[in-house]
Amino acid sequence: MLNYRHLYYFWMVAKEGGFARAADRLQMAVQTISAQVRELEKSLGHQLLKPSGRGVALTEAGQAAYARAEAIFQLGECITQEVREAASSPVTRLSVGLSDGISKLAAHALLEPVLAHPQLRLVCHEGEFDELLSELALHQLDVVLAGQAAPRNPNQRLSSERMARTAVQWYGPASLVKKSARDRFPQSLQELPVLLPTVHSPLRTTLDGWFHDLGLRPRVVGEFEDSALLAVFAARGLGVFPVSQLGAQDVGLVRGLRLLGDSPDIHEEVHAIWSRRGQHHPLVRQMVAAAHRGGAPQ
């Protein structure tokens, strides 16, 4: 193991340009510092300093050691300030996993009740469903929002609750959402460029079945895992896209989108999944309670 006290003395000698100046700075005996630096050189197996006039200079090996020491101790100097700031202004951290395929716009709507928390530090991770559940079981996440409930696995000890089940609406740019397209919806989907969630999304499976039942063969020009990104591309004229009514609350944040039509037979579900530890998190409880008060949109 590298002795960081020895490394620190070496760093100070290199910064000050000599043992005497480093000793004055550290208020220690020159002999003590010199002995500690020799111990470091012995442990590394290379000479780090060489005489230079009345002081010392770095050898090639010393330059490499000094560069690393500089980075290490500069970071170390940040610790005191960061700890002080953390202690003086405590934060409430909420780590949320967003499963691939879930509408990010809907996720934002469900998280909205906790976003006004004055000490909130929100950390969002996106990933595949199984990977997020593993992170949740290891307490690396507080809650996961997904399009499906937690699987029955006694080893993981996870709980879940459906937060929302909302019908789907279709939006698109004004250049595509004409009156004729609205009047002939959903048949007009065969004539318009269509943007869809990827196959990772449970909603995509439902949409494909809906297209089949109606005998529709839409011209799919883009597939996105991120519903917010999908909305941005749609607003730039790439095509029309589906979004749950819950997520549609945020569609207004993207300028230029208009409602094409409703698909009341198609629904998107969002489930909150948490571990035993997560159920005691105040913001997780607040989020679930807000969904209950709102009637968990149906």
Side-chain angles (χ1 to χ4, degrees), residues 48-64:
L48 303 179
L49 298 169
K50 59 185 179 181
S52 177
R54 294 185 177 181
V56 293
L58 293 167
T59 64
E60 291 293 330
Q63 291 178 11

Side-chain angles (χ1 to χ4, degrees), residues 7 21 38 40 50 66 69 86 96 122 135 143 150 164 174 176 188-189 202 235 249 256-257 259 268 272 288 296:
L7 182 66
R21 286 191 290 272
R38 284 198 300 271
L40 176 64
K50 59 185 179 181
Y66 178 78
V96 181
L122 179 65
E135 294 179 21
V143 65
L176 296 176
S188 58
L189 291 175
Q249 298 175 16
L257 292 175
L259 177 64
E268 180 180 33
V288 174

Side-chain angles (χ1 to χ4, degrees), residues 24-291:
D24 289 341
R25 174 82 176 270
L26 295 171
Q27 296 183 345
M28 295 175 64
V30 172
Q31 295 79 359
T32 301
I33 296 177
S34 177
Q36 300 293 321
V37 172
R38 284 198 300 271
E39 286 296 322
L40 176 64
E41 292 177 322
K42 182 179 178 181
S43 66
L44 294 177
H46 295 280
Q47 182 182 356
L48 303 179
L49 298 169
K50 59 185 179 181
S52 177
R54 294 185 177 181
V56 293
L58 293 167
T59 64
E60 291 293 330
Q63 291 178 11
Y66 178 78
R68 289 300 184 185
E70 179 80 358
I72 290 170
F73 294 117
Q74 282 185 352
L75 286 174
E77 290 175 351
C78 296
I79 292 177
T80 301
Q81 179 180 354
E82 292 177 357
V83 168
R84 185 185 301 113
E85 291 175 352
S88 61
S89 56
V91 299
T92 303
R93 181 186 178 92
L94 179 64
S95 296
V96 181
L98 302 176
S99 178
D100 284 347
I102 186 178
S103 167
K104 303 310 182 295
L105 296 175
H108 175 267
L110 291 172
L111 289 169
E112 189 171 12
V114 305
L115 297 182
H117 190 281
Q119 281 83 39
L120 173 66
R121 177 171 294 176
L122 179 65
V123 181
C124 290
H125 300 267
E126 185 175 0
E128 296 184 4
F129 182 68
D130 291 339
E131 293 178 355
L132 293 178
L133 292 191
S134 296
E135 294 179 21
L136 188 65
L138 294 172
H139 307 305
Q140 296 173 353
L141 296 173
D142 299 308
V143 65
V144 168
L145 297 180
Q148 56 189 301
R152 293 185 178 180
N153 186 338
N155 295 325
Q156 290 185 317
R157 298 182 180 182
L158 301 177
S159 302
S160 65
E161 186 166 337
R162 191 175 73 184
M163 300 285 285
R165 181 176 184 268
T166 59
V168 167
Q169 296 177 313
W170 290 79
Y171 284 82
S175 59
L176 296 176
V177 181
K178 306 292 186 181
K179 183 178 183 303
S180 59
R182 291 196 299 267
D183 292 342
R184 291 183 296 105
F185 180 85
Q187 282 71 27
S188 58
L189 291 175
Q190 290 202 132
E191 305 161 8
L192 296 170
V194 172
L195 308 178
L196 294 177
T198 64
V199 293
H200 293 94
S201 169
L203 177 60
R204 175 61 180 272
T205 302
T206 304
L207 287 168
D208 288 343
W210 183 68
F211 292 142
H212 180 269
D213 292 342
L214 294 180
L216 298 177
R217 294 184 177 181
R219 180 166 59 91
V220 179
V221 299
E223 299 179 65
F224 297 80
E225 289 186 353
D226 189 328
S227 60
L229 185 62
L230 189 155
V232 170
F233 274 83
R236 297 298 184 269
L238 189 60
V240 299
F241 70 102
V243 63
S244 70
Q245 289 180 349
L246 185 64
Q249 298 175 16
D250 286 334
V251 166
L253 298 176
V254 183
R255 298 179 59 183
L257 292 175
R258 294 184 179 180
L259 177 64
L260 174 62
D262 296 308
S263 299
D265 298 330
I266 306 177
H267 295 86
E268 180 180 33
E269 293 188 354
V270 180
H271 296 256
I273 306 172
W274 58 86
S275 64
R276 287 186 176 182
R277 176 182 173 181
Q279 70 182 355
H280 300 296
H281 194 295
L283 297 186
V284 173
R285 295 201 306 269
Q286 182 180 339
M287 183 178 64
V288 174

